[in-house]
Amino acid sequence: SAAPQSEFAVASVRPNAIGNSGGKEGVDEKITVTPASVILSNVTLRSLIRWAYELSDYQLSAPSWIAYQHYDISAKASNEVPPHELRLMMRKLLADRFHLEIRSELKELPTYEMTAQPKKRDKMKPSTGTDPSMKFAEGTLEFHAYSMADLADRLATRPFKLDRPVIDKTGLVGRYDFTLAIADDVRGMKLAFEGMEQNNPGSPSILTSFATS
């Protein structure tokens, strides 16, 4: 077999004007991966590091500015490679273009455990899709092709931003389609997420939403 490639054959990195004019982390970010390339649109450096190193949000401690500067990045390998090699090449790009230095350390953190109520787990609808997605619909969130591991990981990022890691203890395997009720309408959901992000007293909790859905 061919030796692993150490870096991309061609790569361009440009600031994203729209994201840098007031965009927020996690909004309209897109990462497209093919066997020979990675195309990133309007991504923050924080999201890029998380993708390259396969980190959850709570695992990354870094200056706040990396969550607010947005980039468009196009990187191509000289031939098709496994996904893990693309991540390794992206780490090399981060070191070369952004002078990124990584240090690993162990931390003890409190966690949440995500469990499934017996009566409700049987009502979960298996998905026929393979690509997980989440979209807003009135006062609800619609999840498609989400595994419980995907969901646990997503809860540490926007718009939820839980203050600690979520451990999947549901025992549910596979991917599912499901909805999560947040508010009665779009305006109410927007206010709810703003309150969650700012930890406003009296704001609805995403934990309560899951418990009652």
Side-chain angles (χ1 to χ4, degrees), residues 115-125 172 176 178 208-213:
T115 61
Q117 298 178 25
K119 292 183 179 179
K120 293 185 177 181
R121 63 183 298 155
D122 295 335
K123 297 180 180 179
M124 292 290 287
K125 179 184 176 183
L172 292 168
Y176 298 88
F178 54 94
T208 302
S209 297
F210 271 106
T212 57
S213 293

Side-chain angles (χ1 to χ4, degrees), residues 36 41 72 106 124 176:
S41 302
D72 293 329
L106 294 176
M124 292 290 287
Y176 298 88

Side-chain angles (χ1 to χ4, degrees), residues 14 24 46 62 66 71 88-89 103 127-128 131 136 152 155 157 167 172 177 184 187 202 209 211:
R14 295 187 176 91
K24 294 182 178 180
R46 186 177 188 90
I66 72 167
Y71 299 90
L88 292 175
M89 288 188 276
R103 182 186 69 190
S127 178
T128 57
D131 297 322
F136 296 88
L155 289 173
T157 66
I167 308 300
L172 292 168
D177 296 333
D184 294 331
R187 182 176 180 277
S209 297

Side-chain angles (χ1 to χ4, degrees), residues 19-20 43-46 64-71:
N20 290 327
V43 296
T44 63
L45 186 55
R46 186 177 188 90
S64 60
W65 65 265
I66 72 167
Y68 298 103
Q69 293 189 11
H70 295 240
Y71 299 90

Side-chain angles (χ1 to χ4, degrees), residues 26-47:
V27 177
D28 297 324
E29 294 185 328
K30 185 176 182 180
I31 299 177
T32 303
V33 180
T34 74
S37 68
V38 184
I39 310 298
L40 308 104
S41 302
N42 195 33
V43 296
T44 63
L45 186 55
R46 186 177 188 90
S47 295

